[in-house]
């Protein structure tokens, strides 16, 4: 395999000591700081698990499944990449061990390696490097985040592949960033560097010498401590960057740039800024709106994966973006619909969001929550399953269709107001077979949605198998439902609204996946605005 002679530079981000250190945010923040220098930045997440994609995993296992424009079900870090870089990712920006093995084994069966023993090195590592180079095409820099923690068995082939990239492309074109934890010991009032020394030691054992350490800490890193770490880890002291806990993740690029991380990267990789860093001005202005909000508003998410906030990552971020657009702080109330005490909490909010989901746990409570929002004229946003719940609620309570339901939860319902998409009836394999990715939606001009988007056709991302059943369209319309948007070629309902209500909008797609801090999604902007009005 010939290394391609692209002039692209490679940054690799690994993690040490513990998981959940925020490698995704670190990679994205580095990405943003380089974009602000006018560079073309590619992003790649390498995931060590054997699943081909996270689409079949429970949100408790893996957090939210992030869907790209081209319909790939990916790791939630791609959401961070899109939000920080304000750019669309694609299927090629997330690679799993499962994909790599699937590809190599398929080639082996086709006879592409005739006569050879197919091995982890070089065949698996070559396939990994090919995927890295694919993202590098037409980019100045590609930032590759290696999932998992250094020392795990699973991520070894990925680490071996990124080690080889330096040999293939030259050390002046490759940079290794290690994200690590500096724990604070209360009893001795000290920050401890030993876990980092060990984890850097582990990396060096496999031939990777980190150039930069990004240190997660809850206390400031003083100079003597940085010096000590530099000495033991063989890293120049100025390349030891502190990543203290900050109230908003969007502050992280600024924390890095304040410590000169962008300059260190440009110098090490011999890259020239095209904007002298001025490109961060709009980002700074956005962060200031988060830091100094002029108003506050409370909005409830009524879902069922409330113990793990990662399950609703994009939704939470989209609400924050909606807040940015109104210079408001959104207090998010996480309500678990499977708990009976939600009704007390609902009294204190000015907006209610019912998110997407699968499975019938909590479904009746979600329908009751929609009813509450509709009857009390509380601003309501339903997303995917949330829209389906709204249709069921209106069918049961306003169309007198007793027992109306989705066939996902009650296959024998007398009124299947939500039913499986015709093309889904043939589906046997569950992985990657939902209605996925972007579809155009045509809006009615007399709708709240049109007022929000200010255009007639919008592109939104999907991940579902069921839809509003057109047999019941007329009954629902007679009851006051407005079909505000549809996918015209198949007459699929994409947006519903309820006429005699100040702001009741529910969508079959996932608008949260397209919201960015620099460009809040129109529906989240209007939802937060409606909630602020309701609060007044
Ligand atoms: N379970 C529903 C469906 O498949 C909703 C999916 C979702 O909310 N993402 O249509």
């Amino acid at each position: 395999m010939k290394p391609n002679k692209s002039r692209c530079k490679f940054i690799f981000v690994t993690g040490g000591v513990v998981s959940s250190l925020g490698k995704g945010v670190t990679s994205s923040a580095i990405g943003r700081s380089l974009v602000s220098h006018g560079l073309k930045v590619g992003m790649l997440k390498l995931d060590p698990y054997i699943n081909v994609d996270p689409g079949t995993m429970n949100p408790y296992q893996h957090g939210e499944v992030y869907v790209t424009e081209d319909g790939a079900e990916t790791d939630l870090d791609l959401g961070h990449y899109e939000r920080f870089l304000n750019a669309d990712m694609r299927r090629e920006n997330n690679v799993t061990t499962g994909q790599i093995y699937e590809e190599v084994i398929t080639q082996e069966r086709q006879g592409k390696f005739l006569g050879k023993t197919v091995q982890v090195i070089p065949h698996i590592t070559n396939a990994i490097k090919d995927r890295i180079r694919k993202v590098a095409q037409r980019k100045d820099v590609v930032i590759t985040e290696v999932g998992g923690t250094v020392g795990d068995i699973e991520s070894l082939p990925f680490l071996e592949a990124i080690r080889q990239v330096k040999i293939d492309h030259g050390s002046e074109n490759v940079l290794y960033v290690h994200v690590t934890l500096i724990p604070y010991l209360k009893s001795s009032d000290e920050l401890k560097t030993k876990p980092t020394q060990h984890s850097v030691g582990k990396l060096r054992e496999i031939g990777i010498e980190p150039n930069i350490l990004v240190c997660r800490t809850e206390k400031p890193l003083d100079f003597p401590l940085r010096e000590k770490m530099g000495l033991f880890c063989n890293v120049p002291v100025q390349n030891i960057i502190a990543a203290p806990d900050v109230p908003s993740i969007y502050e992280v690029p600024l924390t890095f740039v304040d410590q000169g991380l962008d300059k260190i990267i440009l110098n090490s990789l011999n890259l020239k800024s095209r904007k002298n860093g001025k490109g961060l001005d709009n980002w700074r202005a956005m962060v200031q709106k988060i830091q100094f909000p002029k108003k506050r508003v409370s909005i409830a998410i009524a879902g069922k994966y409330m113990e793990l906030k990662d399950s609703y990552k994009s939704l939470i971020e989209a609400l924050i973006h909606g807040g940015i657009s109104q210079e408001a702080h959104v207090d998010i109330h996480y309500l678990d619909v499977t708990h009976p005490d939600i009704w007390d909490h609902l009294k204190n909010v000015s907006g209610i969001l019912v998110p997407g989901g699968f499975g019938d746990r909590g479904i009746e409570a979600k329908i009751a929550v929609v009813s509450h929002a509709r009857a009390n004229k509380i601003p309501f946003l339903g997303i995917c399953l949330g829209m389906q719940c709204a249709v069921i609620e209106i069918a049961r309570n306003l169309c007198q269709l007793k027992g109306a339901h989705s066939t996902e939860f009650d296959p024998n319902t007398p009124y299947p107001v939500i039913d499986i998409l015709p093309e889904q009836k043939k589906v046997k394999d569950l992985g990657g077979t939902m209605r996925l990715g972007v579809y155009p939606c045509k809006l009615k001009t007399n709708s709240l949605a049109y007022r929000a988007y200010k255009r007639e056709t919008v592109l939104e991302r999907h991940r579902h198998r069921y839809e509003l059943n057109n047999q019941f369209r007329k009954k629902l319309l007679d009851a006051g439902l407005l079909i505000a948007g549809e996918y015209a070629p198949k007459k699929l309902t994409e947006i519903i609204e309820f006429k005699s209500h100040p702001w009741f909008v529910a969508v079959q797609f996932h608008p949260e996946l397209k919201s960015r801090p620099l460009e809040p999604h129109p529906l989240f902007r209007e939802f937060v605005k409606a909630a602020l009005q309701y609060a007044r």
Side-chain angles (χ1 to χ4, degrees), residues 286-352:
M286 177 274 290
V287 169
Q288 282 199 344
K289 286 188 188 155
I290 299 179
Q291 289 170 328
F292 308 106
K294 299 196 176 128
K295 308 156 237 176
R296 297 185 87 85
V297 66
S298 296
I299 289 181
I301 302 180
K304 62 174 186 177
Y305 305 114
M306 289 311 176
E307 294 92 326
L308 184 67
K309 304 282 178 295
D310 270 359
S311 313
Y312 297 117
K313 189 84 225 155
S314 296
L315 209 57
I316 294 167
E317 294 306 316
L319 283 170
I320 294 172
H321 306 162
I324 295 172
S325 76
Q326 303 305 310
E327 299 192 51
H329 175 82
V330 180
D331 271 320
I332 303 176
H333 295 230
Y334 302 95
L335 304 188
D336 183 337
V337 291
T338 60
H339 285 187
D341 62 358
I342 55 164
W343 302 105
D344 289 337
H345 292 288
L346 280 175
K347 285 187 199 129
N348 305 321
V349 300
S350 305
I352 298 176

Side-chain angles (χ1 to χ4, degrees), residues 356-358 384-385 388 408 463-466 510:
F358 296 84
C384 210
L385 182 61
Q388 298 173 358
E408 180 179 6
R463 183 171 186 256
H464 67 114
R465 291 189 205 277
Y466 292 80
H510 290 274

Side-chain angles (χ1 to χ4, degrees), residues 38-51:
L39 297 170
K40 279 192 241 124
V41 181
M43 301 291 301
L44 173 63
K45 174 79 192 281
L46 302 176
D47 274 313
Y49 49 74
I50 296 173
N51 303 55

